[in-house]
Amino acid sequence: MRRLRPVQGVFAAALVVYLVLGFVLALRYHFLIGDALSRVQSAQGALFSRDPHLAEIGFIFTPLTSLVELPLVALSPWIPELTRYGLAGVIMSAAFMAAAVAQIWGIAADRGTPRWQQVAVTLLFALNPMILFYGATGMSEAPFVFLMCWATRRLIRWISTDDVHDLISVGVALGLGYLTRYDAAAAIATAAVFVAVLTRLRAGRSRGHARRSALLDAVIVVAPGALAVSVWAVTSWLLTGQLFAQFQSGYGNAQILAQSGGPSEAGLSALGFSAASMLVLAPALPLLVPAVAVLAVRRRDLEVLVPTLLFGSVLAFQTYSYVTGVTFPFLRFYICVIPLIAVYALQFSPARGPLPSRRPGAYTRERDVRQPRLPVAALVATLALAASLPITLAGMAHRQLSVQQYALGVLFGGGEDDPAEQAKQRAIMDTFATERQIADYLDAMNLPDGSVLMDTVYGFAIVAASTNPKQFVVPSDRDFVAALNDPAGHGIEYILAIPTSGRGASDAVNRRYPTIFDNGGAVATLELEIPNTGADQPTWRLYRVPEGPDAE
């Protein structure tokens, strides 16, 4: 029997841990995150809606996570939990985060890091509370962290190998990164500039050749990302009339912030939140940055610039976005600081040994093959990572810093002392329970296809939990507008309505019938009101649409 390679064992072990944790959170505690469940429902719509087409994935979120989930969601008629409890997302994030752990192991192997430090840093990264959480909850952070780690590893390799294959991998990783999160645009631009400058400096006095080489290397890095940006934008424009729906659509972040009362902080206060978030996730950062910089200068080691520029550009982009009021105060937006300090810790050990490559370039660097003694600096850096984990865990339990994770404290005896706060934590844990009950109620009615009209601003959780998604008419259906204008004439039997306050202002049903939640909007009569037990979730009202021409 063929033995697993060490990196394969690392991947398999991490995958099992993240899958077990994710399945426990989803199936035992029914803890689901809205963004993750929404992506699963988008994949479900592309396959099993009454009007299945790939554009059901939508153009607000980037598409890679939903595309990856399609094969898993295809099994949902036989395994309903894949959509009802978002297990398709859990499997997706577990696989990607396990791959990110394997990349950290690979960075250490490429550098010739002593085995003790390779094992320790990889383990500390894999078991970081934020990495555990986002490896288990179906969010886009997992594939994004993997793709950034992959790009970082390959760009570090390129410095020593000058191998075009490494450079191609950097471009592909960052291009896929853009299809995962828009943050990757900053990393694409930064990587291209870095590669162009370094190639130009290496070429020395041969100016014409140097400029051509620098331009070519930069194009190799930029091309996949430019293709991803242009294809995604043009496709969105052709189908929706908007190049960048995330920023232009009524369902994008800017509109959500406006509907929620605007940014919670601005200016120095927002900058303080960003700094606090990074310090909570990487308390060792102020210690490691100057120390690794000094070591890099002494060793003339350019590799330290790679994680600084790639991860740093993403963190700077997120900080700028929050300071300027176009994004949310979420701790997860700063998760890239965790692989950043992991790579820093590995770089405290000097690069040693040969680095095999498929096609070494003209500027390949020879590395020292001697084995170093136990470096004190590397040991201190690794211990600093270990000491950071309890601080990160405490930060995740802080309500102001970690609005999406702190409710988990009720599962482990770390909940709030105030009964009112405990109730809020339980409500967060109970998010989408009401939507599952609504789905069960509608499923039990055995309604025909296209019977229930609603928007998926909040309704995505109902569709995801339903065993009969074809019964719903939603905005991604091509006849949605016609059905919205004439519900009775298009076979609509029920309309699900939410209040017009907050995000309900963007709900298409509310925009067409502004008083429907209050009085049926002259098109339907109240059948049922369903108070919501989940945090920040709306009360639902189910309206029956009268039959015949007198419906209005």
Side-chain angles (χ1 to χ4, degrees):
M1 183 176 178
R2 184 181 176 184
R3 295 180 60 186
L4 287 177
R5 295 167 54 198
V7 69
Q8 293 171 331
V10 168
F11 172 82
L15 179 63
V16 169
V17 170
Y18 300 144
L19 283 176
V20 169
L21 179 59
F23 277 46
V24 169
L25 287 176
L27 297 177
R28 171 65 179 85
Y29 297 107
H30 300 166
F31 180 79
L32 309 173
I33 298 181
D35 284 355
L37 189 60
S38 176
R39 286 168 166 84
V40 170
Q41 189 274 315
S42 295
Q44 179 196 45
L47 296 176
F48 298 115
S49 68
R50 51 183 290 276
D51 181 23
H53 53 282
L54 198 57
E56 287 260 2
I57 287 175
F59 295 92
I60 303 300
F61 293 129
T62 43
L64 188 137
T65 49
S66 292
L67 290 174
V68 170
E69 290 165 0
L70 283 173
L72 296 167
V73 171
L75 302 174
S76 60
W78 301 276
I79 311 174
E81 291 79 9
L82 286 167
T83 54
R84 182 178 178 88
Y85 294 107
L87 292 188
V90 171
I91 296 169
M92 177 278 299
S93 64
F96 274 117
M97 198 63 89
V101 175
Q103 289 300 317
I104 296 296
W105 177 272
I107 290 172
D110 291 343
R111 194 170 175 83
T113 303
R115 181 53 65 94
W116 69 267
Q117 191 184 21
Q118 182 181 22
V119 172
V121 171
T122 302
L123 194 62
L124 291 169
F125 172 79
L127 297 181
N128 184 288
M130 280 289 283
I131 297 298
L132 281 169
F133 184 81
Y134 284 101
T137 49
M139 295 288 284
S140 63
E141 273 65 29
F144 188 66
V145 168
F146 159 67
L147 292 165
M148 289 299 300
C149 288
W150 181 24
T152 298
R153 180 186 179 189
R154 287 296 185 166
L155 194 52
I156 289 173
R157 286 178 56 87
W158 175 78
I159 289 176
S160 294
T161 67
D162 192 34
D163 188 340
V164 70
H165 296 93
D166 287 324
L167 212 54
I168 291 170
S169 295
V170 173
V172 171
L174 293 177
L176 292 173
Y178 180 83
L179 296 178
T180 306
R181 292 189 63 90
Y182 293 112
D183 318 34
I188 293 170
T190 302
V193 171
F194 171 74
V195 167
V197 170
L198 185 55
T199 300
R200 174 66 182 85
L201 293 175
R202 282 171 164 176
R205 297 179 180 179
S206 179
R207 292 186 179 180
H209 171 71
R211 289 173 182 170
R212 289 192 298 272
S213 297
L215 178 60
L216 179 59
D217 284 352
V219 167
I220 291 173
V221 172
V222 166
L227 181 64
V229 172
S230 58
V231 169
W232 183 239
V234 170
T235 304
S236 175
W237 176 70
L238 289 173
L239 295 177
T240 70
Q242 297 169 326
L243 281 171
F244 300 100
Q246 172 61 258
F247 310 103
Q248 298 171 292
S249 168
Y251 297 98
N253 282 352
Q255 288 300 315
I256 294 173
L257 279 167
Q259 293 153 9
S260 304
S264 57
E265 297 177 297
L268 290 178
S269 177
L271 187 61
F273 175 86
S274 297
S277 297
M278 285 185 273
L279 287 175
V280 161
L281 297 180
L285 193 64
L287 170 68
L288 297 190
V289 169
V292 77
V294 170
L295 285 174
V297 171
R298 288 177 57 187
R299 298 168 181 163
R300 297 181 180 180
D301 187 354
L302 292 176
E303 292 182 8
V304 73
L305 291 175
V306 175
T308 303
L309 293 173
L310 291 190
F311 292 120
S313 64
V314 171
L315 295 169
F317 177 87
Q318 281 295 346
T319 300
Y320 175 79
S321 298
Y322 185 55
V323 169
T324 54
V326 296
T327 192
F328 305 96
F330 292 159
L331 191 63
R332 63 184 173 92
F333 288 162
Y334 305 91
I335 195 171
C336 278
V337 76
I338 297 173
L340 172 62
I341 62 165
V343 177
Y344 276 164
L346 294 173
Q347 290 176 330
F348 272 77
S349 292
R352 301 282 175 168
L355 185 57
S357 63
R358 294 177 62 184
R359 199 212 70 178
Y363 304 107
T364 301
R365 293 192 312 161
E366 295 294 331
R367 300 199 305 186
D368 196 335
V369 297
R370 294 175 299 172
Q371 293 298 318
R373 293 175 297 174
L374 176 65
V376 175
L379 180 60
V380 171
T382 305
L383 291 175
L385 286 190
S388 298
L389 298 191
I391 300 174
T392 299
L393 188 61
M396 291 176 64
H398 193 279
R399 181 164 54 89
Q400 279 73 36
L401 276 177
S402 186
V403 295
Q404 294 184 301
Q405 297 87 29
Y406 90 103
L408 289 175
V410 299
L411 303 182
F412 308 106
E416 298 282 343
D417 296 329
D418 183 1
E421 290 299 327
Q422 291 178 358
K424 290 180 181 178
Q425 287 182 298
R426 286 192 292 270
I428 292 173
M429 296 299 298
D430 208 29
T431 302
F432 307 125
T434 299
E435 284 71 19
R436 289 192 294 272
Q437 293 171 350
I438 294 172
D440 292 342
Y441 179 85
L442 295 172
D443 289 348
M445 297 170 69
N446 295 314
L447 296 169
D449 293 356
S451 299
V452 182
L453 180 73
M454 70 172 178
D455 198 339
T456 49
V457 170
Y458 285 103
F460 64 86
I462 298 174
V463 182
S466 173
T467 58
N468 180 24
K470 293 182 184 295
Q471 67 187 307
F472 300 102
V473 180
V474 295
S476 54
D477 293 338
R478 281 168 284 198
D479 60 351
F480 175 77
V481 174
L484 183 64
N485 288 329
D486 182 15
H490 283 79
I492 302 297
E493 297 183 23
Y494 294 95
I495 299 176
L496 275 165
I498 60 174
T500 57
S501 58
R503 292 190 64 191
S506 66
D507 185 283
V509 177
N510 283 336
R511 295 204 306 270
R512 177 61 180 85
Y513 304 106
T515 64
I516 190 168
F517 184 80
D518 297 324
N519 56 30
V523 294
T525 57
L526 183 63
E527 176 89 359
L528 186 67
E529 179 172 288
I530 311 104
N532 211 310
T533 60
D536 301 320
Q537 294 295 105
T539 294
W540 290 92
R541 286 183 179 175
L542 181 66
Y543 280 91
R544 178 187 288 274
V545 177
E547 298 179 2
D550 298 325
E552 293 190 3

